[in-house]
Amino acid sequence: MANREREDSDDNNPRAKRPRIESEANGKMRSQNGFGGDATNDPSQNPYLQHHYPETTSGGRLNNALRHKTTTKATEALEDGPNNPFTGRKFSERYMDILRTRRDLPVHAQRTQFLEKYQQNQILVFVGETGSGKTTQIPQFVLYDDLPHLNNMMVACTQPRRVAAMSVAQRVAQEMDVTLGDEVGYSIRFEDKTSAKTVLKYMTDGMLLREAMSDNNLSRYSTIILDEAHERTLATDILMGLLKEVVLRRPNDLKLIIMSATLDATKFQRYFHNAPLLAVPGRTHPVEIFYTPEPERDYVEAALRTVLQIHATEPEGDILLFMTGEEEIEDACKKIDLEAREMEKESGAGPMKVYPLYGSLPPHQQQKIFEPAPGPNPNSKRPGRKVIVSTNIAETSLTIDGIVYVVDPGFSKQKVYNPRIRVESLLVSPISKASAQQRAGRAGRTRPGKCFRLYTEHAFKNELIEQTYPEILRSNLSSTVLELKKLGIDDLVHFDLMDPPAPETLMRALEELNYLACLDDEGDLTHLGRLASDFPLDPALAVMLIVSPDFYCSNEMLSLTALLSVPQLFTRPAAQRKRADEMKNLFAHADGDHLTMLNVYHAYRSDEAQNEPKQWCYDHFLNYRALTQADNVRTQLKRIMEKNEIELMSTPFEDKRYYENIRRALVAGFFMQVAKRDGNGKTYKTVKDDQSVLLHPSTVLAQDSEWVIYQEFVLTTKNFIRTVTAIKPEWLLELAPTYFDIDTFKKGDIKTSLQRAANKLRSKDNAAKGRK
Amino acid sequence: MADSDDEDDYMSMAIAEPAQALKETSIQRVARKKREAALKAQVKSKAEKAADEAAAREAALATPLHDTSNKGFKMMAKLGFKHGDTLGADKGGRAEPIQVVLKEDRGGIGLDTEKKRKFREQMNHEAKRVKAEEGEYRERVRFEREELKREGQIRNAQRVAEELASKAKEDSSTQLEPKVTKPTPKNARQPLRSINVLWRGLVRQRLVTDGEKRMRHNLTSVRSFLPTYEDPDLDREDLLALGRDEKAGVFKEEVEDEVEQEDSELDQFNALPSEQRLERLVIYMRQEHRYCFWCKYQYSDEAMSDCPGITEDDHD
């Protein structure tokens, strides 16, 4: 919930593992050639290096003339070296190697066309399929023409995913023969790898949005590239609405490029006042599509069957199977592996290797999908192949060569939000036609392929929606609304979004922010709201953190917020469930999961654990990556707290109110996520929404807690609440009196219980007064 | 109740409502409370609970947010938002949140629709069957009887029509060549296709049954077990009697050929409702032969002025 950026999908993209360029080697080169006297290579005559020579401003006019007037020929000559126009150093050999492959990319063929369109227009829509090289090349094309450094500006290229921003920046730094973080850098939530030298910045769309909050005109940037716009993330949608206004305010010194991988770019063109379009064909082969004659009874079983049939009957080529989530994927892998071994032994089929692929998979295991397929069966000589069972990560963001067969059951896990029951959840849902096409396209990367759709053609035509709903229609908008308010957009009703959400969604977001006291009744930002918007967190979390000094536990809440912002702490490998649960019980706190998480963190910070943290985590079935990430997040958040003069303090651990204070601080932020037990049974009812829920099996909470707050509502056929901590109803009345206005509750168990709590408070009050 | 009626009907056969119903005795109250408590305490089955849960969720999902009391709405109203509006610069936004659909099984895409379609089909079918059984039994029986009767009439009419036609042909041929008065032998038949479609079905049927009869006959006579079997003992007359001369052989093949051939014209005719087929036959006979099927009489005048009408009803 706390994650505003996409951390879920493909953390630790294997591409991020590329070796870094050796900066030392370049350093040596510089002494030899960098500022040498060779006239033809005089860096002071190089327009790209003019900013290094402020005294020779005679070239200034020339530079101005050059900007947006360069030609492919001239820039290519510069790219050919021998010196790097951005650093003055001699290009490395590796650079030359990479340059050759870069010139082979499909986008390169259209460089001149691109330059023309880019130079002549303020806004450009660029369409290039995955693999065309657009993400790495277009920003470089822009750089060589836009010359942002001359005006002390930068080129920004946004990515929907953190990992993509990091890995692409790394790749481009290599391509440009510079050190990552110098001329080319990246900026993602909780991590900024840029410097004063940076001219090209890859960043998550969420980060650019945050920057816009402090600099409404984004005046640091001369060109902004919104990449992967077809993914329609929440932040990209908001940025488009914002930039549509900014380009009007900066008609002469800002250019905007919208890059999309799907051919339906007309929607972007229309939205941006009929901006011109440039399309680059991808490098794809035809893909034959097969449908089932009848709808499948069990798509998982059908998928396994199809994979094995392909293995038994189709010629060489790897298989990509799409599944919805981790559990389904691991299960499928196991079953396919078992069957494939049987086939190899019994019928002489080729050997088959099965690899899972999903976001929360450790990086070294993700890396495995790039291993070559196994060799042929020594007896039958039939070819071996690999099977990759993946979530929709493999749909757009990752390219695996060698895939010839795609099996598409037609489902994926998608975020859903409904303002009526205030639940944001990941649900297994049918994919869109666009998604199905994208999946099929994966089969044609290396040679003509086949895509097996596990549904009928009729179902494809009649049941699948055209495009996946943009995230803005599937999300809780409370943080977005807070951001927009901070961006100075007050008329949220008429804000020009590409796909405006349902009014009820905005209504709910405004209401929630009002209850959190971030917005006043007029809809204006309060002091608390302004503070909260400074944190890259969900408003409820931010509020909890800001008010935590009132409960003498801001240190603890800071740690907890960091822990809630990273992926799952506890690991539970299928083979060692019992042992994992035992280990978890070591940290368990009877009052709930939040306190348990805090215990984990404190244990992790102890000397014993810090001695050998990796091993310690492994022994205790904890996610080491998550914990180190939490440490990092904590540091970043601490900085923001210090900047805003929010005091850091703790209740002494010996104090009996130590944990109570933490629980009360939790209530101050999450009073809208409360459930009360129904009678004496196991079920709980959520307050105000009256939904029956069960405690998630992972909770450590003792069963006798009548009132709880929860972090997450998991919508399945059985409703669960996850990450749960026990609270007292009196606290609700004390800390959130407007939300818990007893008169507004309808008659029932919850109302009576609240009334009882109110009476208790009153008598306690009276007693206190009496004592005085 | 009964005793409060103004006119106390002392002869009333109605059993008076017991007076206690108005006031619950303490014993009854205890019993009722017990019953209610038992009902309440009854542990709901998992399925019941799940159904309740789903119902609560669906109910919540179907209820739009309350406009007037919602603070968010009030803020939006200040910006000119009215109930029923959508968001966005050109008011092109969606009005309703996206539906939450929970997938409860592993059914593939399209399975639910397929199931629903099949279910609907079955329901329709069932409904039709029940209807026919219940209300329209008599109607159906009557209809079936009439249909049967009409089929009989059609066969009669076909027979008459065929006779009329062959007679007319003979007449015309005698007129043209008065010398030749030999009756056409039964075997010298026309090809099936050239026969008027109105009674072609009859002829076809006859050929089929004849064929079957002959086949049965052939089977029973041991000597001609195989159609290709040539019995040297039989002379030509015998062969002729058995229908096995070379001509007869050809004939049989032809029949089978013709009978097996698709005849779209005939199929079309047979597909017509029985009333229409009968009507066409009746009209044919009237027009071509001045014969009224209902009067059973061949009129001499073109106008057939003595016939009361075309339909059977006219002849009542």
Side-chain angles (χ1 to χ4, degrees):
Chain A
M1 276 193 112
N3 302 356
R4 282 203 207 156
E5 286 168 15
R6 293 201 166 178
E7 292 173 281
D8 48 332
S9 34
D10 56 350
D11 259 323
N12 294 285
N13 179 324
R15 282 210 248 164
K17 293 264 120 186
R18 289 179 202 279
R20 299 174 89 195
I21 32 172
E22 291 114 72
S23 46
E24 309 87 59
N26 288 333
K28 270 180 220 148
M29 303 268 186
R30 171 186 256 170
S31 59
Q32 285 170 5
N33 293 306
F35 297 93
D38 187 350
T40 50
N41 284 329
D42 182 4
S44 65
Q45 295 307 310
N46 182 338
Y48 294 92
L49 289 172
Q50 287 301 322
H51 61 301
H52 287 309
Y53 306 93
E55 65 275 13
T56 57
T57 34
S58 56
R61 222 175 298 138
L62 176 69
N63 291 341
N64 286 341
L66 267 175
R67 189 165 182 246
H68 296 164
K69 293 266 188 312
T70 65
T71 59
T72 308
K73 215 176 150 193
T75 34
E76 276 184 6
L78 276 167
E79 279 177 350
D80 287 337
N83 285 348
N84 190 332
F86 286 94
T87 62
R89 284 173 246 147
K90 191 173 189 310
F91 279 129
S92 67
E93 224 159 275
R94 160 182 269 146
Y95 169 87
M96 292 301 175
D97 285 348
I98 297 176
L99 186 63
R100 269 188 288 280
T101 58
R102 280 171 59 200
R103 296 260 161 96
D104 273 349
L105 287 167
V107 279
H108 193 83
Q110 262 152 305
R111 188 171 188 163
T112 311
Q113 250 174 306
F114 169 78
L115 277 179
E116 268 168 29
K117 284 227 161 92
Y118 170 74
Q119 287 163 354
Q120 285 159 15
N121 298 285
Q122 193 183 13
I123 308 175
L124 173 64
V125 178
F126 186 90
V127 170
E129 280 173 55
T130 347
S132 61
K134 65 177 187 315
T135 303
T136 51
Q137 303 310 302
I138 294 290
Q140 295 187 62
F141 292 176
V142 167
L143 216 52
Y144 272 87
D145 186 59
D146 202 22
L147 313 172
H149 49 283
L150 297 181
N151 301 314
N152 245 330
M153 287 169 116
M154 278 190 280
V155 170
C157 179
T158 67
Q159 296 292 319
R161 284 179 209 78
R162 300 158 54 86
V163 175
M166 282 159 62
S167 59
V168 173
Q170 202 149 22
R171 169 71 189 175
V172 172
Q174 205 174 19
E175 286 188 1
M176 290 183 59
D177 215 7
V178 299
T179 313
L180 180 66
D182 284 356
E183 280 76 7
V184 178
Y186 65 86
S187 170
I188 58 177
R189 192 170 68 130
F190 301 129
E191 198 180 341
D192 185 9
K193 201 155 182 68
T194 59
S195 64
K197 284 193 208 164
T198 304
V199 287
L200 172 58
K201 180 156 140 189
Y202 282 91
M203 63 208 301
T204 53
D205 43 11
M207 273 321 284
L208 188 61
L209 195 56
R210 292 213 73 81
E211 282 189 15
M213 283 163 68
S214 48
D215 173 11
N216 291 356
N217 276 336
L218 289 164
S219 47
R220 304 167 69 186
Y221 301 102
S222 55
T223 297
I224 291 171
I225 305 168
L226 298 183
D227 196 7
E228 316 286 350
H230 61 275
E231 290 202 21
R232 304 292 308 280
T233 60
L234 187 49
T236 294
D237 269 17
I238 301 289
L239 274 174
M240 286 198 292
L242 203 65
L243 286 166
K244 204 175 165 178
E245 292 178 11
V246 176
V247 288
L248 295 178
R249 292 200 293 265
R250 296 177 53 195
N252 299 317
D253 67 334
L254 177 68
K255 283 185 186 284
L256 179 62
I257 301 174
I258 312 292
M259 297 210 286
S260 163
T262 50
L263 285 167
D264 184 34
T266 43
K267 201 171 175 182
F268 293 109
Q269 283 183 280
R270 253 199 321 265
Y271 182 66
F272 284 106
H273 318 290
N274 297 318
L277 174 88
L278 183 63
V280 171
R283 216 183 266 154
T284 49
H285 301 271
V287 175
E288 208 178 338
I289 290 173
F290 299 90
Y291 295 94
T292 55
E294 291 274 310
E296 290 293 342
R297 297 193 160 279
D298 181 335
Y299 72 86
V300 177
E301 192 236 317
L304 304 185
R305 202 180 54 223
T306 310
V307 166
L308 294 169
Q309 262 170 21
I310 292 170
H311 187 46
T313 57
E314 295 283 342
E316 198 170 356
D318 297 336
I319 306 172
L320 174 60
L321 164 62
F322 286 99
M323 284 277 164
T324 62
E326 176 178 343
E327 215 175 307
E328 211 176 74
I329 288 172
E330 290 290 358
D331 195 48
C333 284
K334 224 175 288 161
K335 284 182 179 149
I336 293 172
D337 190 55
L338 220 68
E339 292 289 331
R341 276 169 206 277
E342 193 101 324
M343 281 165 75
E344 193 185 339
K345 241 188 291 166
E346 310 248 307
S347 53
M352 184 150 80
K353 271 272 190 193
V354 193
Y355 301 108
L357 178 63
Y358 47 85
S360 54
L361 198 69
H364 66 275
Q365 266 174 298
Q366 286 196 3
Q367 192 71 54
K368 282 190 185 159
I369 62 166
F370 294 102
E371 283 173 16
N377 186 326
N379 303 322
S380 66
K381 301 281 179 272
R382 278 162 70 181
R385 69 176 102 219
K386 68 177 173 191
V387 181
I388 293 159
V389 188
S390 170
T391 60
N392 48 353
I393 296 184
E395 197 175 296
T396 47
S397 43
L398 209 89
T399 304
I400 313 154
D401 288 326
I403 300 289
V404 179
Y405 306 100
V406 165
V407 180
D408 173 20
F411 291 103
S412 71
K413 258 191 193 160
Q414 289 164 30
K415 184 164 81 175
V416 184
Y417 173 72
N418 192 296
R420 292 177 185 175
I421 55 171
R422 297 187 300 156
V423 172
E424 199 176 58
S425 213
L426 282 171
L427 292 184
V428 172
S429 321
I431 59 172
S432 64
K433 283 191 187 114
S435 255
Q437 303 294 34
Q438 192 78 34
R439 287 180 171 191
R442 303 272 98 182
R445 297 272 314 160
T446 26
R447 61 186 159 98
K450 288 179 181 174
C451 173
F452 298 87
R453 291 187 175 151
L454 303 181
Y455 36 89
T456 62
E457 190 167 7
H458 181 264
F460 173 78
K461 283 185 180 144
N462 295 290
E463 304 229 343
L464 300 188
I465 52 170
E466 290 299 325
Q467 299 280 339
T468 312
Y469 290 119
E471 198 184 1
I472 197 166
L473 302 181
R474 300 184 279 116
S475 305
N476 180 347
L477 294 184
S478 55
S479 26
T480 307
V481 167
L482 198 62
E483 281 164 357
L484 285 169
K485 284 277 174 190
K486 188 74 188 292
L487 285 162
I489 289 156
D490 284 320
D491 189 353
L492 296 172
V493 170
H494 302 106
F495 183 54
D496 188 6
L497 287 163
M498 206 162 172
D499 282 292
E504 283 174 62
T505 310
L506 179 60
M507 225 177 271
R508 190 59 103 182
L510 290 166
E511 187 195 25
E512 281 184 10
L513 288 169
N514 180 259
Y515 280 128
L516 282 169
C518 289
L519 293 179
D520 61 20
D521 285 359
E522 300 298 307
D524 294 327
L525 269 185
T526 60
H527 176 65
L528 181 62
R530 225 175 294 276
L531 271 178
S533 72
D534 225 19
F535 288 87
L537 297 168
D538 202 62
L541 263 179
V543 165
M544 175 184 93
L545 194 54
I546 294 164
V547 303
S548 61
D550 298 351
F551 303 92
Y552 310 103
C553 58
S554 42
N555 270 319
E556 285 73 18
M557 295 328 273
L558 175 59
S559 308
L560 190 56
T561 308
L563 292 167
L564 290 171
S565 307
V566 298
Q568 191 59 37
L569 281 189
F570 300 97
T571 60
R572 202 163 174 261
Q576 304 172 72
R577 282 201 177 134
K578 209 170 151 235
R579 181 100 187 101
D581 291 344
E582 278 169 18
M583 277 301 165
K584 188 175 176 182
N585 275 334
L586 288 180
F587 305 106
H589 190 291
D591 277 335
D593 300 309
H594 293 93
L595 305 180
T596 304
M597 286 167 83
L598 213 51
N599 283 347
V600 167
Y601 186 71
H602 290 149
Y604 168 73
R605 296 300 311 167
S606 72
D607 293 340
E608 185 210 333
Q610 285 300 308
N611 232 350
E612 236 183 302
K614 229 171 178 171
Q615 187 59 39
W616 185 84
C617 285
Y618 182 81
D619 292 343
H620 292 83
F621 291 89
L622 295 169
N623 186 343
Y624 172 67
R625 268 198 319 142
L627 277 163
T628 46
Q629 225 175 317
D631 251 350
N632 178 24
V633 173
R634 193 180 190 279
T635 322
Q636 303 287 329
L637 289 175
K638 194 174 161 200
R639 219 167 280 160
I640 303 175
M641 284 175 86
E642 282 162 355
K643 194 185 93 193
N644 289 298
E645 295 174 337
I646 298 166
E647 225 178 316
L648 283 161
M649 54 172 91
S650 293
T651 309
F653 189 68
E654 304 78 49
D655 195 316
K656 66 176 195 302
R657 306 193 66 172
Y658 178 82
Y659 283 114
E660 188 183 314
N661 282 342
I662 294 168
R663 283 156 68 201
R664 285 168 66 96
L666 270 170
V667 168
F670 288 97
F671 56 84
M672 283 182 276
Q673 295 173 18
V674 175
K676 187 199 170 291
R677 198 175 51 191
D678 222 6
N680 290 318
K682 277 184 186 165
T683 54
Y684 283 72
K685 267 241 160 69
T686 58
V687 170
K688 293 213 176 179
D689 303 313
D690 285 320
Q691 297 297 304
S692 284
V693 291
L694 290 170
L695 297 178
H696 196 271
S698 68
T699 189
V700 298
L701 186 73
Q703 285 290 334
D704 56 357
S705 333
E706 206 183 345
W707 289 81
V708 295
I709 60 155
Y710 56 88
Q711 198 69 37
E712 197 185 343
F713 187 125
V714 188
L715 197 62
T716 58
T717 44
K718 253 189 212 148
N719 299 334
F720 287 113
I721 46 178
R722 189 150 69 182
T723 317
V724 181
T725 285
I727 53 156
K728 288 187 177 151
E730 293 92 297
W731 300 346
L732 297 170
L733 298 168
E734 267 178 85
L735 300 171
T738 44
Y739 191 76
F740 285 92
D741 178 359
I742 298 178
D743 295 339
T744 63
F745 280 77
K746 64 172 198 256
K747 219 178 127 193
D749 183 33
I750 287 174
K751 184 166 184 161
T752 5
S753 181
L754 284 172
Q755 268 161 341
R756 221 178 298 134
N759 290 338
K760 217 160 141 193
L761 269 182
R762 224 170 289 135
S763 56
K764 213 162 130 196
D765 254 14
N766 290 340
K769 270 180 208 151
R771 249 182 274 126
K772 274 177 194 166
Chain B
M1 299 261 151
D3 48 3
S4 69
D5 279 352
D6 287 345
E7 283 170 61
D8 197 2
D9 180 5
Y10 65 95
M11 293 268 283
S12 169
M13 296 292 284
I15 298 167
E17 195 81 22
Q20 293 102 305
L22 276 176
K23 225 170 142 195
E24 198 176 39
T25 68
S26 64
I27 298 172
Q28 278 174 324
R29 190 165 54 243
V30 169
R32 177 176 59 84
K33 288 241 160 118
K34 228 183 200 168
R35 211 168 43 236
E36 281 172 6
L39 210 64
K40 224 176 172 179
Q42 201 174 49
V43 180
K44 282 184 176 172
S45 74
K46 265 187 184 164
E48 277 173 319
K49 269 193 212 159
D52 284 356
E53 217 174 272
R57 189 171 56 227
E58 289 311 316
L61 283 172
T63 322
L65 291 185
H66 240 291
D67 292 343
T68 42
S69 63
N70 187 300
K71 279 190 179 165
F73 176 77
K74 286 179 191 163
M75 296 178 204
M76 286 159 71
K78 282 190 192 112
L79 298 166
F81 179 83
K82 289 183 298 297
H83 178 80
D85 283 359
T86 57
L87 305 181
D90 52 0
K91 307 230 162 157
R94 55 184 303 128
E96 293 265 310
I98 292 172
Q99 293 255 316
V100 174
V101 184
L102 283 176
K103 183 162 178 55
E104 307 191 6
D105 55 13
R106 288 162 145 201
I109 288 174
L111 187 68
D112 279 351
T113 346
E114 182 72 13
K115 266 189 197 156
K116 271 182 210 149
R117 192 183 60 78
K118 278 201 177 134
F119 183 72
R120 226 176 9 244
E121 237 167 46
Q122 208 180 345
M123 286 301 284
N124 282 345
H125 187 75
E126 198 76 350
K128 257 186 214 153
R129 202 174 60 82
V130 168
K131 223 180 191 174
E133 260 175 22
E134 274 175 2
E136 292 169 11
Y137 175 70
R138 278 155 185 272
E139 185 66 17
R140 202 186 70 212
V141 169
R142 193 183 61 80
F143 177 77
E144 279 173 358
R145 207 174 45 221
E146 272 181 14
E147 196 75 345
L148 217 65
K149 184 179 148 206
R150 217 160 13 234
E151 288 295 342
Q153 285 173 338
I154 288 170
R155 265 195 305 281
N156 278 336
Q158 283 175 329
R159 224 166 279 141
V160 175
E162 188 190 14
E163 240 164 65
L164 284 171
S166 66
K167 212 161 87 196
K169 202 174 166 195
E170 261 171 52
D171 285 353
S172 63
S173 55
T174 38
Q175 270 169 16
L176 288 171
E177 300 164 62
K179 297 265 160 73
V180 191
T181 50
K182 244 199 275 165
T184 33
K186 239 193 169 177
N187 288 4
R189 42 177 293 285
Q190 289 172 269
L192 210 48
R193 293 262 171 173
S194 65
I195 298 172
N196 192 327
V197 74
L198 291 176
W199 61 87
R200 196 187 297 164
L202 185 77
V203 179
R204 189 169 184 275
Q205 184 58 37
R206 198 160 50 216
L207 289 177
V208 171
T209 41
D210 282 1
E212 273 171 7
K213 257 187 216 157
R214 198 171 295 120
M215 232 149 60
R216 219 170 298 135
H217 172 83
N218 287 348
L219 277 174
T220 43
S221 68
V222 190
R223 299 188 148 222
S224 54
F225 190 64
L226 287 168
T228 46
Y229 178 74
E230 297 272 345
D231 195 334
D233 293 349
L234 295 176
D235 58 26
R236 209 175 163 272
E237 304 293 300
D238 291 331
L239 284 172
L240 196 71
L242 283 167
R244 287 205 55 198
D245 66 327
E246 59 282 330
K247 252 193 200 159
V250 170
F251 164 74
K252 239 194 96 197
E253 265 166 36
E254 249 175 34
V255 170
E256 265 169 13
D257 246 25
E258 278 197 306
V259 166
E260 264 156 37
Q261 253 174 31
E262 278 205 17
D263 186 345
S264 59
E265 197 188 355
L266 182 62
D267 287 344
Q268 239 169 35
F269 178 71
N270 283 341
L272 292 174
S274 54
E275 293 101 321
Q276 275 186 39
R277 272 180 285 153
L278 187 58
E279 197 189 321
R280 277 181 61 180
L281 274 159
V282 170
I283 289 171
Y284 163 80
M285 287 186 278
R286 292 178 78 90
Q287 283 174 352
E288 300 291 317
H289 307 291
R290 302 181 309 280
Y291 181 86
C292 172
F293 181 64
W294 309 115
C295 304
K296 309 270 182 241
Y297 183 73
Q298 190 161 26
Y299 289 92
S300 49
D301 58 327
E302 201 71 38
M304 300 171 67
S305 46
D306 287 339
C307 180
I310 300 174
T311 62
E312 186 179 14
D313 290 346
D314 294 336
H315 292 77
D316 279 344

